[in-house]
Amino acid sequence: MTTTPIDSKTQSAAFSVFGNTAFDNHEQVVFCQDKDTGLKAIIGVHNTVLGPALGGTRMWSYANESEALTDVLRLSRGMTYKSAITGLNLGGGKAVIIGDAKTQKTPELMMKFAEFVHRLGGTYITAEDVGMETADMDLVRTVTPYVTGISEEKGGAGNPSPITAYGVFMGMKAAAQHAFGSALLEDRTVLVQGIGHVGESLVEHLSNEGAKVLISDINQERLQAVRDKYHATIYAGDNLYEAPVDIYAPCALGATINDETIGHFKAKIIAGAANNQLADEKHHGAMLKERGIVYAPDFVINAGGIINVYAELEHYGRADVIRKTENIFDTTLEILQMSDREDITSHQAAFNVAQQRIDARKRSN
Ligand code: NAD
C-alpha cells in the first residue's frame, strides 16, 4: 500500500504549534490525555528564567482544540510578565482542561491532571483559575506538592480571588489618580463585567468607597444576589461596551477590547481582572492610547492572586501579602507615567519593565 506524503506547506497550513503567534518562545507545551477520566489538558510553560512556572488551571468548554491551545499559550506568556513586573521569583505557566467545569469535572479527572503536573517535577506549579475552586487544589495536593491556592485548613493561603480584587482596586485607583487627578472613586461610575470570584469582591470595595457600581454577568442568579448585597445596579443597556461610565472593569474572560468593541467605549479608564483583555496587544493598546483611554495593564493590576499563592511557597504572612498587593498602586502609576513620558502604550511600558527584569536575571545566571 502506498501513502501520499503530506507536503510540508500543507502540513504547516493545517496545524502549527511553533508557528502559532501566541507560542512566543514557550519553553515547553505538554498535551495530556486520559481516556478513562476523559481528561484533555494542555500545560504551557512559557519561561522559567526567574523561577518555576506558576499559573492557574482553567477549565472551559472551548469551541475547539486550537482555541484551547491559543488560550493556554496567551495565558502562560501573560504569567511570565505578571510575575516579573510584580518582582516575584517565578516564571510563567498555565494549564487548561478542555470541558465544562460544572458537568465534567470529577475527582478522578482532577487527580489524573495532578499526575501530569507531578511528572513535570516542579517546572510547572498550578493554582486556581476559571472553573476551579480551592477544594480542587486541595485534591490536586493529595497527588502532587506542585500546587498552590490550597485551603487555609490544609496549610495554604486560601482563595486568591479577594486579594486579586484588592489589587485590581489598587490599580484602578492609580489609573483614576492618573486620569482624574484623584484616586478617590467616590461617585465615579464603574461597570464591572463578570461578577464571579474576583468581580464580586471588587464590587464590594467599590461600593465601600461610594462608587456607583453597574454590574453585568451571564449568570442571572449571581446578578440578583450581588445587586441585593451591595446595592449595585444591573446594567440594562443593549451594548455594555457603550455604557456611559467613567471606568470599565472587565472581570469575565479576555479579549473584550477588540475591533468590534473599541470604537464604542465611553469609559475614560479600563481597569479589570480579566487576563489578556486586549485582543491584539499592540494594535488595540495603540487604539486605546489614541482615544485617550487610560488602560491599566491587566497583568500589572491582577497580580494579587499570584502574590497570595506565592506566599505559600515563600512562607510569608498576610501582612506581607497585603503590602505587596498595595504596591500595585505605585507600579500602575509608574507604568502610566512612563507610557506618557515615552509615548508608548501602557501595555508596552509594563512589558518593557518586566522584560528588563528577565533579561537582567538571564545575564546574571
Ligand atoms: P469566575 O469564573 O469566578 O467569574 C467569571 C464570571 O464572569 C462568572 O460569574 C461568569 O458568569 C461571568 N461571565 C462569563 N462570561 C461573561 C460575559 N460574556 N459577560 C458577562 N459575564 C460573563 O472567575 P474569576 O476567578 O472571578 O476570574 C475572573 C477573571 O479574572 C478571569 O479572566 C481570570 O482569568 C482573571 N483572574 C482571576 C484571578 C483570581 O484570583 N481568581 C487572578 C488573576 C486573573
Side-chain angles (χ1 to χ4, degrees):
M1 195 181 82
T2 56
T3 52
T4 313
I6 303 170
D7 72 72
S8 60
K9 209 171 157 194
T10 313
Q11 209 168 23
S12 72
F15 186 71
S16 169
V17 175
F18 294 106
N20 185 315
T21 48
F23 190 77
D24 189 49
N25 294 312
H26 263 75
E27 290 177 11
Q28 196 175 8
V29 181
V30 184
F31 292 82
C32 320
Q33 179 171 237
D34 179 66
K35 220 168 154 224
D36 293 343
T37 58
L39 175 74
K40 274 190 183 167
I42 313 172
I43 302 173
V45 174
H46 178 249
N47 189 291
T48 56
V49 170
L50 294 175
L54 197 153
T57 297
R58 173 173 294 189
M59 187 160 183
W60 191 253
S61 305
Y62 292 98
N64 53 54
E65 289 165 16
S66 151
E67 193 182 282
L69 176 63
T70 302
D71 202 33
V72 74
L73 294 175
R74 279 170 57 93
L75 289 165
S76 149
R77 174 180 178 272
M79 292 309 296
T80 297
Y81 297 109
K82 186 186 303 195
S83 287
I85 199 155
T86 310
L88 309 180
N89 289 322
L90 290 172
K94 201 88 179 183
V96 297
I97 299 177
I98 300 171
D100 183 342
K102 285 203 186 80
T103 57
Q104 291 171 284
K105 189 170 65 180
T106 61
E108 294 75 23
L109 178 137
M110 286 310 300
M111 286 165 86
K112 187 50 81 174
F113 172 69
E115 280 178 28
F116 282 103
V117 171
H118 193 68
R119 278 192 215 170
L120 288 171
T123 301
Y124 169 68
I125 302 174
T126 198
E128 294 97 337
D129 193 63
V130 176
M132 290 291 143
E133 307 289 338
T134 306
D136 297 313
M137 296 305 117
D138 286 351
L139 193 58
V140 169
R141 182 67 186 84
T142 63
V143 178
T144 179
Y146 306 127
V147 54
T148 53
I150 53 179
S151 64
E152 285 166 291
E153 305 86 77
K154 302 264 193 273
N159 175 12
S161 303
I163 297 291
T164 300
Y166 186 52
V168 171
F169 182 59
M170 289 293 121
M172 191 183 281
K173 285 171 81 61
Q177 174 71 48
H178 189 75
F180 307 130
S182 165
L184 199 63
L185 298 174
E186 190 179 11
D187 292 332
R188 297 277 174 214
T189 312
V190 186
L191 170 67
V192 182
Q193 177 189 31
I195 40 159
H197 291 103
V198 180
E200 176 176 350
S201 190
L202 178 62
V203 169
E204 184 176 5
H205 288 296
L206 290 168
S207 14
N208 287 345
E209 183 143 323
K212 294 179 194 140
V213 188
L214 296 177
I215 52 175
S216 150
D217 203 292
I218 49 175
N219 182 331
Q220 294 306 315
E221 273 172 45
R222 280 203 71 81
L223 270 179
Q224 281 155 21
V226 171
R227 175 195 61 191
D228 296 346
K229 199 164 164 191
Y230 305 102
H231 308 291
T233 305
I234 298 175
Y235 180 67
D238 288 337
N239 181 352
L240 71 88
Y241 302 106
E242 290 183 340
V245 294
D246 298 309
I247 302 171
Y248 161 55
C251 296
L253 294 179
T256 58
I257 304 165
N258 56 48
D259 286 340
E260 268 100 72
T261 59
I262 206 158
H264 297 289
F265 289 121
K266 306 279 186 297
K268 181 81 180 131
I269 292 173
I270 299 181
N275 286 307
N276 300 328
Q277 292 166 24
L278 301 169
D280 180 319
E281 292 166 6
K282 287 206 166 83
H283 178 59
H284 297 120
M287 284 177 81
L288 289 179
K289 189 165 165 53
E290 271 165 33
R291 285 166 164 71
I293 298 173
V294 173
Y295 172 65
D298 46 16
F299 66 93
V300 177
I301 72 167
N302 71 9
I306 191 108
I307 292 170
N308 194 56
V309 295
Y310 189 54
E312 286 177 29
L313 302 177
E314 291 294 306
H315 308 290
Y316 54 77
R318 194 77 182 162
D320 278 340
V321 168
I322 299 291
R323 188 181 50 74
K324 285 176 197 284
T325 305
E326 286 176 345
N327 276 347
I328 290 176
F329 182 97
D330 290 344
T331 309
T332 308
L333 201 54
E334 279 162 27
I335 292 298
L336 295 174
Q337 288 164 352
M338 185 185 294
S339 157
D340 283 356
R341 209 169 45 242
E342 299 184 10
D343 197 21
I344 54 177
T345 67
S346 53
H347 185 92
Q348 189 64 49
F351 180 88
N352 291 353
V353 172
Q355 188 65 53
Q356 278 159 15
R357 183 164 176 250
I358 296 167
D359 291 346
R361 178 69 62 83
K362 220 171 175 178
R363 283 194 300 274
S364 71
N365 278 345

